[in-house]
């Protein structure tokens, strides 16, 4: 049930995003579009409640509950930037908006971009870590190894993103030198 709900939340996210942006740009109803986009956190709330109820009713904490926590963490940490990304493209394609802003390619600007990206992913993984820890406390006794495994994976996500950002600090990407 939990996996099905996670899939439904992901599909629901994209449906609400498309619907909200369509109302905003195609139907020229920006307030209605915002209202639809504000429904998106309701999906996460439903998933959180369903996961808690499943655990409360005696389900063994397993990978599905961990996946739900990770999904929620990533929705919180990356949802806004995903909506912003889609909004720029939708506005450009359907409403005559400016072309989407491309990330910088070189130098300090690229390094700063990589650190912002690492910050978003670190925040998302940290929220997931917190939710996983709350699930561990909520379950109390019993087998929590799958939740601990997810925590390890989230620490790995943080480490990889920080390593990528640090690499751009140490070795900033430079434009290729043209041959004359």
């Amino acid at each position: 049930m939990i996996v099905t709900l996670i899939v439904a939340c992901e599909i629901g996210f994209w449906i609400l995003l498309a619907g909200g942006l369509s109302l905003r740009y195609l139907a020229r109803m920006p307030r209605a579009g915002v209202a639809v986009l504000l429904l998106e956190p309701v999906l996460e709330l439903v998933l959180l409640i369903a996961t808690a109820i499943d655990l409360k009713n005696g389900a063994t904490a397993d990978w599905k509950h961990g996946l739900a926590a990770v999904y929620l963490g990533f929705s919180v940490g990356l949802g806004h930037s995903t909506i912003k990304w889609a909004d720029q493209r939708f506005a450009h394609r359907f409403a005559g908006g400016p072309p989407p802003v491309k990330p910088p390619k070189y130098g300090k600007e690229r390094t700063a971009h990589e650190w912002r990206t690492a910050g978003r992913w670190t925040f998302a993984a940290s929220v997931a870590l917190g939710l996983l820890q709350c699930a561990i406390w909520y379950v109390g006794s019993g087998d929590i190894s799958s939740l601990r495994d997810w925590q390890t994976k989230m620490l790995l996500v943080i480490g990889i993103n920080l390593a990528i950002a640090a690499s751009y600090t140490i070795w900033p990407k430079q434009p290729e030198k043209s041959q004359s």
Side-chain angles (χ1 to χ4, degrees):
M1 175 187 104
I2 298 296
V3 174
T4 303
L5 193 52
I6 293 169
V7 171
C9 285
E10 183 65 12
I11 292 169
F13 170 81
W14 290 103
I15 289 170
L16 289 173
L17 181 59
L21 294 176
S22 293
L23 285 170
R24 182 175 182 177
Y25 294 111
L26 299 177
R28 308 238 186 264
M29 300 169 66
R31 286 187 184 179
V34 169
V36 169
L37 291 174
L38 288 175
L39 291 174
E40 196 279 325
V42 173
L43 296 173
E44 276 69 35
L45 186 60
V46 168
L47 178 60
L48 180 63
I49 291 169
T51 303
I53 290 171
D54 192 43
L55 291 171
K56 180 81 169 162
N57 288 339
T60 302
D62 63 10
W63 67 271
K64 297 177 290 236
H65 300 97
L67 180 62
V70 169
Y71 176 82
L72 290 166
F74 280 67
S75 290
V76 169
L78 301 173
H80 178 73
S81 60
T82 302
I83 290 170
K84 184 178 176 183
W85 174 88
D87 185 64
Q88 287 179 345
R89 279 143 187 83
F90 209 93
H92 176 66
R93 176 77 170 95
F94 297 109
V101 177
K102 292 184 180 179
K105 290 185 179 183
Y106 309 110
K108 292 178 185 176
E109 295 82 13
R110 178 59 185 237
T111 301
H113 168 77
E114 293 299 330
W115 279 106
R116 284 190 299 275
T117 300
R120 284 192 295 274
W121 281 85
T122 298
F123 177 65
S126 297
V127 171
L129 279 166
L131 289 170
L132 288 162
Q133 188 60 48
C134 287
I136 289 167
W137 291 331
Y138 187 68
V139 169
S141 60
D143 184 16
I144 55 166
S145 60
S146 64
L147 300 176
R148 290 282 186 216
D149 289 344
W150 277 109
Q151 285 183 316
T152 301
K153 291 173 185 160
M154 292 303 96
L155 291 172
L156 185 61
V157 167
I158 291 170
I160 289 169
N161 277 279
L162 293 177
I164 290 169
S167 74
Y168 276 90
T169 302
I170 298 167
W171 302 287
K173 191 172 180 182
Q174 300 297 328
E176 294 180 21
K177 294 179 183 177
S178 61
Q179 297 178 0
S180 308

